[in-house]
Amino acid sequence: MTRIACTAMFTLALAVPCLGAGSEMRFPPPEFESGYQFPETARPPTARPVVHEYIDVALLAVVLLLASYLILQRRSRRAIFALMIAALLYFGFWRDGCICPIGAIQNVTLTAFDSTYAIPLAAAAFFVIPLAFTLFHGRIFCGAACPLGAIQDVVLIHPLRVPHWLESGLRLLAYTYLGAGVLFAAIGGTFLICRYDPFVGFFRMTGNWNILILGASLLAIGLFVGRPYCRFLCPYGVILRNLSRLSKRRVTITPTECITCRLCEDACPFGAIRTPTEDWPEGEYQIAKRRLAFFLVLLPILIAAGGWGGYALKERLARMHPRVRTAERVFLEETGQVTGTTNASDAFRTTGQASAMLYQDATAIRSRFALGGALLGGFVGLVAGGKLIALSVRRRRAEYEADPADCLACGRCYQYCPKEQERRKQRRDARSGRGNR
Amino acid sequence: MKAETANMNLWHQAARTTTLVGAVFSGIFTGLLVWNLVGSALIGPTRENDLAALKVQVQKEPGNQELLVQIRQLDLQIRRDRIWRWDFAREAASMLLGSAVVLVVAGTFAGGLAKKPPRPQPVAERGELQMREARQARWSVVGGIAVLAVGMGLLTLTRWVSFVQGGNGDGGTPYASLEARQAQWPRFRGLAGAGVSTHANTPTSWNGKTGAGILWKTPVAVPGHNSPVVWEDRIFFSGADPNLRQVLCFDGKSGQLLWTGDVPTGPLPAGEEFELMEDTGYAAPTVATDGRRVYAIFPTGDVAGFDFTGKRLWHKNLGRPDSSYGYASSLETYQNLVLIDYDQSDGKDGKSRFLALDGTSGKVAWEAKRALPSTWTTPIVADVAGKPQLITVADPNVVAYDPANGKELWRAECVGGDLAPSPIYAGGLVLAIQPYSQMVAIKPTGQGDVTKTHIAWKAEDGIPDICSPVSNGTYVYLLDSEGLLTCYQVADGKKVYEHELKDQFRASPSIAGDKLYLLSLKGVMHIAQVGPEYKELGRCELGEDCFASPAFVDGRIYIRGAKNLYCIGGTSVGSTPDTK
């Protein structure tokens, strides 16, 4: 009987939002023949006051300060979760997922490469503040303030462990994406990272179908794989993970010393807990040295090969630039290789510019992509070679610890540590003792 | 304790069941969204194509009320369907969101209840395990490098567009090559206005009454005396009346009207009326194509460029020309330029000029001011020893320009009066006609004023008033409007013969292979042998008045009659053009 009641309760919970969705259609929409008068065109929304941007910046700083306290001092997963939900609601749904530090990478890049572009103060602050906090306290931005991370975190219902080897391979994607995002922001005339933001459609409750499908797919994967976007795609995460290695005071699984009880071994859904290392078997050291030497030699080769490959792709990469795309379309139309016109080619023609000028611009952009493509390819080669080297170096760890780069500062591992439980018990006792007095 | 455990189990089972319900609902609504998306992607474009086809059809049959009703119904259906699908997507997305929320909440709840405390199992060789993991990770990185390399390789296989005209992988230019133009009929009287076809497989027998030898015949609703222009399987010409100006495109295979393109004009000044002589009409100038776009000009001064799908790319009004018989100069093209002889009135009011417009945008590329009166001749671009020369004729001068920039090359003061026959370039000479008076042969190799130095010869017999001459390089044939055909030697201007055809002519003569084609006003095509004596090869009657000069392309003759467009010839195409 109780089972039926519980099931009925959950099913009711399911039905409530569905009923709300249907209520709007109780009255049929007007027919074309009904003489329906369209309302006056709505006025365009007014610009958001600048003061709101300062409020956003201040709120971000407050959230990060609070997160630092909650994760490092209070060591409370529940409090961090509550803060994360608040950040999701404000920075995600209320502020439509914009501005965020992930996209701000492009604003900063454009500032460096385009002297006519002035970066908004909020964008600069959103880029810098999480970096500063990461430098001191690790990736607390990812754990508590990032709406993209939060929306994935809340859907994680049955985490499965991603094999270490697969994680190592997939992480190359994030570096490539970061490189491409920087390249296209610098010379590509497009903000690639914002364009392919997978969750902004959910925050705004509308968007391009392809992006919505991409976001839905990532969330579906996220039911079982913890934060797939953060771990394998996020370009800002790449910067944070490398800065986090330098952080002095960051998340530790245990509040005191590790007793290597192994209870936390599988606690992290993001695969960020590193186990103590043991000595390699005899003979392995010589092989490891030779391997390391090989990868050190391979590194410049990978950089050169990547650079060459990126250079060879300059025309294809340049197609991301709207001016190049328009030039290609106009050229195809003018040379009779396609029939019909597009909105872009029509718009170009209304400017009255000569097509030769357009081709000249497009050719200049392509030449910039020659260098940019080479740098992007070289960067990917450097990252791949660097990873191979890193995976060939012996690490020494005496206890279980959260990987400084991979730890997202979510606080899930705390409850698994007996030392943490002991600390909490002492705290509770101290409180109750005070209460008894 | 036992009761608490049992209660926990109940909650857990309920949460699991709800999770399952949430998952099923999420799946159903996802499926419905996909169905909706696929449906709109498959059905939407088909219906919109149908609607577009109906809209094209209604332009041909503007009075067809049934068609109009059909269009309105289909349009309404498309709009209703779109709104329905949009509403459906919104509803399904809301349901999906609700289901997903339940799935996640119940799933998290169930997961929390099912969570078991960790029980680490003994690990035998941790060092070995870590080494194996590192090895696998290295291979994974190598695999990632391989995937990136393959991705880059695949990307290099994609097509890109080089802006180097003519010499790239795409082989494209903003205008067709000279070789391609030679095989077509791109302007009035074909390439360079010579009236000469490079195809020899031209039909010699047909009959308009019986339909023998006529591939198709299509009625033309809009009047106009201009001539058809052909590019591959598209036939272009223009039509106009006092209120309408259109470019028409027909399918060369079926004769079906593919599209019509309207050319707008500005209102007349108050109190003015726009009337033209009936013989000239409102669409005398022939359109021209550069193989990519088609251009048209009308006596209202409106000039426009269309792409081959009928989309108007640009339009401009050059100012209404002051021309006593009505503006009639046809267009010429050079590369991407549209060349317009815009001489008017007496030439003293500063309005006369020669214009070159960019064919892609309609912008003025260059302009040459001329103090010359109205002319009804059409300019030609002649290939003189490998260098193009734009040759124009207007009282009293024959003037040659560099067509690329409008720089004047030479001029000869040798013609006068109301000039209608257009010049040709044949046998190394420019042949210009002063109606009823003389034909002048000029050597186009001079600079500046060549009146006294480069006139090779003059002829005075059988000089036409309207029709332009035609030549095979050895002989030049003149045809006046009363049917007198006169043949001269190109080299020295010596008269070879003259022949009375006893017919009236408005269309200019043409040569295809070794045959001379002379289309009379009554629609009779006189076919004669090209040579030093008149030898009739045949007469073919169309049964309809013909003002326009025919177009000859690859085994077919396209004739614009007063009311119909005809395609003469068989279905076989593909002869090799003689480009000599």
Side-chain angles (χ1 to χ4, degrees), chain B residues 201-223:
Chain B
N201 56 343
T202 312
T204 53
S205 173
W206 65 87
N207 189 307
K209 286 179 184 168
T210 64
I214 294 174
L215 190 59
W216 50 258
K217 169 186 170 184
T218 300
V220 178
V222 201

Side-chain angles (χ1 to χ4, degrees), chain A residues 2-3 6-7 9-11 13-14 17-18 21-22 24-25 31-33 154-157 161 164-166 168-169 172 176 209 213 223 261-263 265 275-281 284 291 295 302 306 309-310 313 315-316 319 324 327-328 331-337 339-341 346 349 352 355 359 362-363 366 380 384 387-388 391-392 400 415-416, chain B residues 7 10-11 13-15 17-19 21-22 25 33 37 76 79-80 83 87 89-91 94-95 97-99 102-104 106-109 111 115 118 120-123 126-128 130-131 133-134 136-138 140-142 144-145 148 152 155-165 168 170 172-175 234 292-293 307 309 311 313 360-361 363:
Chain A
T2 314
R3 188 197 304 178
C6 292
T7 306
M9 192 188 75
F10 278 111
T11 311
L14 171 69
C18 301
E24 199 182 328
M25 295 306 292
E31 296 293 332
F32 284 93
E33 298 87 353
V154 294
V155 302
L156 181 60
I157 58 174
R161 188 171 178 270
H164 180 60
W165 62 267
L166 183 58
S168 298
L172 277 180
T176 309
W209 266 111
I213 291 169
L223 292 171
C261 63
R262 296 179 54 207
L263 289 173
E265 215 167 44
T275 56
T277 54
E278 288 185 5
D279 285 343
W280 288 352
E284 183 62 30
R291 187 190 301 123
F295 286 137
L302 283 173
L313 287 174
E315 291 90 1
R316 281 85 178 177
R319 203 176 287 150
V324 176
E328 290 194 353
F331 185 84
L332 291 174
E333 287 173 15
E334 290 189 355
T335 54
Q337 296 176 67
T339 53
T341 58
D346 286 342
R349 290 193 177 94
S355 47
Y359 303 151
T363 307
R366 281 180 177 170
V380 174
K387 285 199 84 66
L388 288 172
L391 288 165
S392 304
Y400 285 84
Q415 62 176 320
Y416 290 85
Chain B
N7 203 28
L10 281 174
W11 276 106
Q13 283 181 22
T17 311
T18 309
T19 307
V21 171
F25 271 62
L33 277 170
L37 197 62
L76 185 63
R79 286 170 196 277
R80 273 184 174 159
I83 290 170
D87 283 340
R90 203 175 46 172
E91 296 290 306
S94 302
M95 301 288 229
L97 185 63
S99 314
V102 170
L103 166 69
V104 168
T108 308
F109 192 69
K115 193 176 276 181
Q121 301 301 311
V123 179
R126 191 190 293 277
E128 186 66 37
Q130 287 169 342
M131 275 174 27
E133 275 187 351
Q136 287 171 341
R138 284 193 295 273
S140 175
V141 172
V142 171
I145 294 169
L148 286 173
M152 288 167 83
L155 205 55
T156 57
L157 297 177
T158 57
R159 186 168 174 264
W160 61 281
V161 177
S162 166
F163 303 122
V164 181
Q165 294 165 2
N168 56 76
D170 308 297
T173 57
Y175 48 85
R234 294 182 182 90
R292 308 292 183 239
R293 293 159 294 275
D307 71 8
T309 64
K311 180 161 189 161
L313 301 172
T360 61
S361 64
K363 288 187 77 176

Side-chain angles (χ1 to χ4, degrees), chain B residues 3 139 155 158 208 210 226 228 236 269 277 299 306 319 350 400 444 463 465 491 526 573:
Chain B
W139 278 113
L155 205 55
T158 57
T210 64
N226 65 86
F236 304 102
M277 282 179 61
F306 291 82
I463 304 302
D465 49 345
H526 301 257
V573 289

